Amino acid sequence: MMTTDELIIATCLKAGKIMVENGSEISRVDDTMIRIAQNAGVVQANTYVTITGVMMSIQGRNATQIAAVNKRTIDLEKVAQVNQLSRAFADQTIDLPTLHQRLSQLDQASRSFPLWLQLVGAALVSGPLMIMFRHEVENTWPTVVIGVVGYLVFYLLNRYLKIKFLSELVAALVIGVAAEWLVQLGWGTNVDDIIIGALMPLVPGVPLTNAVRDILAGNFVSGPARAVEAMISAAALGFGIAVVITLF
Amino acid sequence: MNWFGQLVLAYIAVLGFGLIINIPRRALNIAGWIGTLTWGAYLIVQAFDGGVVLGSFIGSVGIGVLSNLAAHYKKMPSIIFNIPSLVSFVPGSQAYQMVRNFALGNYRAAIGFTLQVVTITGAIAVGFLVAELVNRLIAFCLLQWRRFKLL
């Protein structure tokens, strides 16, 4: 059985870990953890959050714990749910053990969004953005198809290889080759437009936005780290496309 | 492409990116509207020959402020709204041209596109900074207003 201090720390760490793992910015994680601790009756808690680990201690007591963050995905639904649970705890509609239990359930729950909905998302991103950026509608359907295929390749590789940058590289290669192939078949007319549209679902939007927000908030460990993540992703995509362009 | 079609496409694209990063379903509509409104602001800047950089700046200020308002209204984190709304401002076309020209050895053109990508990204980042300032100002004004009302 855990003591109250241990339970408070375990709950805060669980909340922080879920938020970092699913793509929240650091200042929000800090804020949520401190809030949970305060609502649980701790006057002064210290938290230290980076994108690879979460630490917390209660001032003046012998209680400090660390939670390592080894995997990072993007699932903002989970971030919103932690936020909601924390609000419910602040309103005293749930108590601390319940909060801890709910957070554990949330942590173990698999990604709630089905793959087909993500593929629909990829289709909705690639086609419209191609039209907006390039001001033409001729290549819309090839772009949508290749955008979906590229995202599918990225998703499957990322699921089984678990190396994000490699998955992005291969997805970019597939998109480039498929675009060239469709144009040679005569379905599309402009390789550049198709590639631009089809790449848009893979743009590292979350790391990039969070990098800016973290740096502005003064988190100089996590902000630049995220910027590096975003840059490597962009470089992987760019390199894949560059290979295709030099080959054809 | 007429402006109305562009606005509809902006809404659809934001919705799509929201689906990819799995934002809560009840946030999708508002995120889409933020994307549409800010893309409208961008189009207005374009109509007055303001250029892509100024347009992106104004768009990202709008996204930052509107996302914060939406976050207060819906009681959700503001990143849920501002990450998907930003997708139409990503300099994807310029970034592609940069990679293409580097790969083909047209370094002069490539550096031009690199500078465009850097300035647009910078404009978006500065836009977020200004939005943060506006958000604090709004919060401060609300606080003062409430205090005077209580007194």
Side-chain angles (χ1 to χ4, degrees), chain B residues 31-131:
Chain B
W33 275 109
I34 293 175
T36 312
L37 284 177
T38 47
W39 190 252
Y42 174 87
L43 289 181
I44 292 172
V45 172
Q46 298 303 303
F48 286 100
D49 285 329
V52 180
V53 176
L54 184 66
S56 303
F57 170 75
I58 288 179
S60 83
V61 172
I63 287 173
V65 174
L66 291 175
S67 301
N68 199 47
L69 293 179
H72 276 290
Y73 172 61
K74 281 270 179 185
K75 303 218 182 322
M76 283 185 204
S78 61
I79 50 166
I80 282 174
F81 301 103
N82 65 19
I83 294 176
S85 325
L86 209 56
V87 74
S88 8
F89 291 95
V90 172
S93 175
Q94 290 89 337
Y96 171 77
Q97 293 294 348
M98 169 185 111
V99 170
R100 183 170 180 274
N101 283 300
F102 268 122
L104 294 175
N106 304 329
Y107 295 119
R108 196 177 289 269
I111 287 172
F113 282 113
T114 311
L115 284 178
Q116 278 190 38
V117 171
V118 168
T119 44
I120 294 172
T121 321
I124 292 174
V126 174
F128 267 174
L129 188 66
V130 173

Side-chain angles (χ1 to χ4, degrees), chain A residues 75 78 105-113:
Chain A
D75 187 347
K78 281 193 181 177
Q105 280 171 2
L106 182 60
D107 194 20
Q108 273 153 18
S110 57
R111 208 185 147 100
S112 49
F113 244 32

